[in-house]
Amino acid sequence: MGFSTKAIHTGIEPDPTTGALMTPIHLTSTYHQEELGKNKGYDYSRAGNPTRTVLETNIAALENGKEGFAFASGMAAEAAVFHLLKAGDHIIVSQNVYGGTYRLAKLVLENFGLQFDFVDTTDLAVVKASLKPNTKMVFIETPTNPTMEITDLRASAKLCKAHKVVSVVDNTFATPYLQNPLDFGIDIVLHSATKYLNGHSDMLGGLVVLNDAKLAERLRFIQKSVGGILSPFEAWMCLRGIKTLAVRMARHDSNAVEVASFLNTQRRVKKVNYPGLVAHPQHWLAQKQMRGFGGMISFDLGSLEKAKKFLKSVRLCALAESLGGVETLISHPATMTHASVPPEERQRIGVTDGLVRISVGIEDVEDIIEDLRHALGKL
Ligand SMILES: *Cc1c(COP(=O)(O)O)cnc(C)c1O
């Protein structure tokens, strides 16, 4: 079955009691039990809810995995995954991950005895050298936020397997339309569904998919015990968004290719980070493990002053955090998404003061380019 067909149909059956074609939103906390120990598979909505189950089944199919899990946000999904570990465990994380991942690791989880190292996972030798006897997890983001670096999924999965380390990939930027980490042997894939999966900038959610039965059982237990679950309404919204994921991603991708090519020709733009550009240092790797390059681009204008002026001058592109919606969003990583990363660390990972990130929407690409051309003209 093709991707779009799976996105539209997997897990979605007409409601047996009414024939409703669309998944009902099951707004219930509890479920009637016929007799002691006898129910229809649900007893309390923190443990399971039929609307959420449909989404969990659907995302599992899209990621070519066995089990899916839905959480209240991408961060709740990450927190649940880190709960698979215990005090004293060491985790290797891609050095320029989403700012919230860094914050969760350094400012929350380190208080509970987990140890994190942020390293350049695009270089396998660095990952290998960072492995310790107590390393239990490697957490990769690819492409990374916001510098769009690519980590080799197959090689990383192989290294992790050889050292009995759980491999995790944050697949938010690529989405299962462009990249399926589990196909390369990665153990756990996770998403901020807030972004492309829902795609309309109107809900928050997080999704996890994996294959291993033991890990799945433990994560199901954590989901129920810690309780950061996705509400039935948001699960329904996300399902609705996913139905058009394929057409949206194709357009995000083709628009971004054009926007990146345009930016690349502009003398006021010092550098463009987009894996679809031949000049991107890992263009070949992106071609190998992705089915397109996605809608995220970052580019350097040289200074905070110029970035500020540019962001004040855009009219169509909305200055906002977040990404992956149908509308073009533009942001300044150093003061927005990566504000919680210390300045020297930001410098080290390439999140310079002049760096601007753009989440290319699905508007008419000529209009997006015109807006950027106008704003660049103000510099
Ligand atoms: C947004 C984002 C997250 C966090 O997701 P929320 O839904 O905002 O909690 C994690 N990883 C990446 C790559 C993101 O873009």
Side-chain angles (χ1 to χ4, degrees), residues 17-130:
T17 56
T18 62
L21 203 58
M22 290 306 130
T23 310
I25 305 170
H26 290 277
L27 293 174
T28 187
S29 57
T30 189
Y31 302 81
H32 176 244
Q33 309 193 6
E34 278 169 58
E35 56 179 90
L36 273 184
K38 198 166 171 197
N39 59 42
K40 294 187 162 66
Y42 297 95
D43 52 19
Y44 189 63
S45 277
R46 177 159 25 74
N49 175 282
T51 313
R52 202 174 89 212
T53 302
V54 176
L55 175 61
E56 292 177 334
T57 306
N58 187 270
I59 189 64
L62 296 185
E63 281 291 10
N64 300 330
K66 290 210 178 85
E67 289 217 43
F69 304 81
F71 296 91
S73 68
M75 292 319 302
E78 287 188 32
V81 166
F82 286 129
H83 272 91
L84 291 166
L85 303 168
K86 56 182 190 319
D89 287 351
H90 173 247
I91 304 107
I92 295 171
V93 186
S94 294
Q95 65 181 1
N96 45 15
V97 274
Y98 178 71
T101 303
Y102 181 88
R103 183 173 54 203
L104 172 66
K106 297 299 283 187
L107 304 179
V108 180
L109 296 176
E110 280 196 349
N111 293 338
F112 292 84
L114 294 181
Q115 302 161 17
F116 292 89
D117 270 325
F118 291 79
V119 311
D120 181 4
T121 56
T122 67
D123 186 344
L124 212 62
V126 171
V127 180
K128 214 168 174 176
S130 309

Side-chain angles (χ1 to χ4, degrees), residues 73-75 78 98 101 141 145 170 172-173 192 194-195 204-205 323:
S73 68
M75 292 319 302
E78 287 188 32
Y98 178 71
T101 303
E141 193 176 307
N145 181 17
D170 183 337
T172 301
F173 273 32
S192 166
T194 313
K195 317 295 168 50
L204 270 87
L323 60 110

Side-chain angles (χ1 to χ4, degrees), residues 217-232:
E217 190 187 347
R218 183 67 188 163
L219 193 65
R220 195 65 74 193
F221 182 77
I222 290 166
Q223 186 187 37
K224 175 173 80 174
S225 305
V226 181
I229 46 128
L230 189 66
S231 80

